[in-house]
Structure formats: C-alpha cells, structure tokens
Amino acid sequence: MKVDLKIAMSNVIEVCTEVADFIYTEGTNFDRGRIEQKTSFNNLVSYVDKEAEQRLVRVLKNVIPNAGFITEEGTVEQSKSNEYNWIIDPLDGTTNFLHGLPIYSISVGLTRNNVPILGVVYHVVRNECFHAIEDDNAYCNGRIIHVSKIPTLQESLLATGFPYYHSEKKDPYLDIIKDFLEKSHGIRRLGSAAIDLAYVACGRLEGYFEYNLNAWDVAAGLVLVRQAGGKVTDFKGGDNCLFGGELCASNSHIQSEMLSVVQGQWNRK
C-alpha cells in the first residue's frame, strides 16, 4: 500500500493542533481528583490523556484505514504487525501537566514495517509543532530546522530522563549522568522525551540519552532528529532504539563521545 506522507503529515498536524487546544484548555482548570495511578505512585494518567488519545485515534483511523496502533493509554486495539502503524503518546509529560509545569507534548509517529517514517511532536504550551517525514527536511511551525553545529561534548548541553522503573542498571545510569556533568555544559531533565528529541532536532540541545523508554516516547522524535541531520542509536551504537528501550541521540558531531561515556558505565559488571 502506498501512502502519500505529505498528505498524511498535513492531517496529523491538523488533529494535533486541535488536540493541543483541548489539552491546554483542560490544563487551565484541571480536576486533580481525576488523576489515576498506572503501575506505581509516580506513573500517572488522567482523563485528559485518555480523551486526547481517543481524539487522535478517531482521526488517524481515517488517514490510513489499514494502519495499526501502538498507544500509551491503550484506548484502541494494539498491533505492530501491520505494514503501517501509528505510535502515539497523547500527552508526553503527564506529571508536568498535572503539576502545572508547562513542558508537555503530543507525540505521533508513523512506521512502515517498524521503521519510523513520519513524526510530529507538538509542544502544547509553546504552540510549537515539530514535524518531519522520511527523505525531507525537519520543520518547526513550517520553518526548516537543523541540529546544532557544536562539535564537542565539552561545549554541549544534554538532556536525560529518570525512568519510573529502576532496574539493576540504576547505579550505572547515575554514574553516566555524573560523567556527563563533568564533561559537558550540563544536563537538563525536562520530563518529556518527545520534547527532548525535538530540541535536539532544532539545536536547542546537542544530545539526549535515556533508558526504559517505550516506542511511543521516541517514535516521532527519531524521525525529527534524523531528518534534521542528527544521529540516533541504542546504547550499543546500533539501530534498536524504537523498541529496544534505550536511546542516545545527538547532533551527530558528539555521538561517538556520548556513546563512549555511556558504554563505559553501562557495560560494566
């Protein structure tokens, strides 16, 4: 099946704009009594997440009728076996949203045979729509964006996140953070993986790394970074970063330095 990605992108941007308006409006008078815990006290969901996802799915079902869905809130039947699959996080940065911290986004990715080919990250409060498709430029609100030209880790600003679930890798991960703090301009923790990747794509950050990620956290951002001239790999330097749970993204200039730091701690016994 042949999909016109430019038409699909236009439809995705339109629905993301509408859903962003809904999220922003709800955030101005949010009912904290309707917060739910998923699997732990710090992994939260609200009626806003669920309603936003339903609105996105309702429209995207018609954009590519035979596409499957992989969504954070599971409001639609899940499948990654279709040729095309939408991968959706309706509100990336839920905890920020619930606390009134204005850093949260909508993330919509599209894969073909499990390869990301379209991505939209909509920063709700800043009203910034980052978007890209394969074999084209990356954009923010219609203007072409590029990764930073900063050539060294020492001059770079990085971002990371802290997983809800900590494994035996918690201590090596904290040591990676310590190493980066000593070897860069600093590390930021924004609370939205999709925004982290969008900011690498537009040059506000030079790099981003995290583990225990889900496909909906990164599917859209992968496309943005790659089409903006950046590099995205797993911690081994390979391509298993959509479903592999770990990711290292950069402006490409500092990728080898970042991977050297990550691997030095991550692979230790």
Side-chain angles (χ1 to χ4, degrees):
M1 178 175 64
K2 181 69 172 178
V3 172
D4 188 321
L5 292 181
K6 290 187 176 181
I7 293 175
M9 174 63 73
S10 178
N11 289 321
V12 176
I13 292 172
E14 182 177 357
V15 68
C16 283
T17 303
E18 293 172 0
V19 173
D21 287 342
F22 161 74
I23 293 171
Y24 184 81
T25 300
E26 292 299 314
T28 61
N29 191 30
F30 182 71
D31 180 0
R32 293 187 59 84
R34 297 173 70 182
I35 298 174
E36 304 172 28
Q37 292 182 8
K38 287 185 182 179
T39 53
S40 64
F41 75 94
N42 60 353
N43 190 3
L44 306 173
V45 65
S46 73
Y47 69 93
V48 178
D49 300 70
K50 294 178 180 178
E51 174 64 22
E53 182 171 296
Q54 290 169 344
R55 293 185 182 208
L56 291 165
V57 167
R58 194 157 49 237
V59 171
L60 296 178
K61 277 184 174 180
N62 295 320
V63 174
I64 306 175
N66 295 323
F69 285 88
I70 301 170
T71 67
E72 181 171 18
E73 308 309 335
T75 63
V76 65
E77 182 179 352
Q78 307 290 292
S79 172
K80 67 176 183 179
S81 60
N82 297 48
E83 179 184 6
Y84 290 92
N85 289 293
W86 295 108
I87 304 183
I88 300 171
D89 191 337
L91 180 48
D92 187 42
T94 297
T95 302
N96 287 350
F97 172 80
L98 298 177
H99 285 270
L101 187 64
I103 307 173
Y104 45 87
S105 64
I106 301 165
S107 177
V108 176
L110 178 68
T111 61
R112 183 197 302 116
N113 298 321
N114 290 326
V115 176
I117 57 172
L118 176 155
V120 174
V121 173
Y122 200 111
H123 191 320
V124 175
V125 177
R126 287 180 61 92
N127 198 30
E128 289 183 324
C129 181
F130 300 87
H131 56 96
I133 58 175
E134 65 176 0
D135 301 323
D136 198 357
N137 295 305
Y139 300 84
C140 178
N141 291 350
R143 299 182 65 179
I144 295 174
I145 56 174
H146 299 285
V147 294
S148 158
K149 295 181 180 179
I150 286 177
T152 66
L153 179 61
Q154 186 177 25
E155 302 170 88
S156 297
L157 182 63
L158 309 177
T160 190
F162 302 121
Y164 294 122
Y165 314 107
H166 297 289
S167 66
E168 71 279 359
K169 290 293 190 179
K170 176 175 66 175
D171 289 335
Y173 191 66
L174 291 175
D175 286 335
I176 290 170
I177 293 172
K178 291 176 187 177
D179 279 359
F180 276 132
L181 285 172
E182 294 176 355
K183 296 175 179 178
S184 70
H185 275 179
I187 299 177
R188 300 294 179 261
R189 202 288 194 189
L190 302 181
S192 167
I195 290 176
D196 290 327
L197 288 165
Y199 281 8
V200 172
C202 73
R204 294 173 187 167
L205 297 167
E206 278 64 58
Y208 160 71
F209 63 98
E210 191 170 348
Y211 80 111
N212 272 6
L213 292 160
N214 294 293
W216 50 75
D217 297 314
V218 301
L222 288 174
V223 184
L224 292 174
V225 174
R226 287 169 175 166
Q227 298 310 127
K231 181 84 170 176
V232 187
T233 69
D234 57 29
F235 284 180
K236 296 181 179 69
D239 293 329
N240 188 26
C241 43
L242 178 59
F243 297 109
E246 57 189 46
L247 181 146
C248 183
S250 77
N251 64 357
S252 78
H253 302 297
I254 66 166
Q255 187 76 6
S256 61
E257 286 187 274
M258 287 188 68
L259 287 174
S260 178
V261 171
V262 169
Q263 292 168 359
Q265 298 292 352
W266 197 248
N267 298 329
R268 77 188 191 198
K269 298 294 185 182

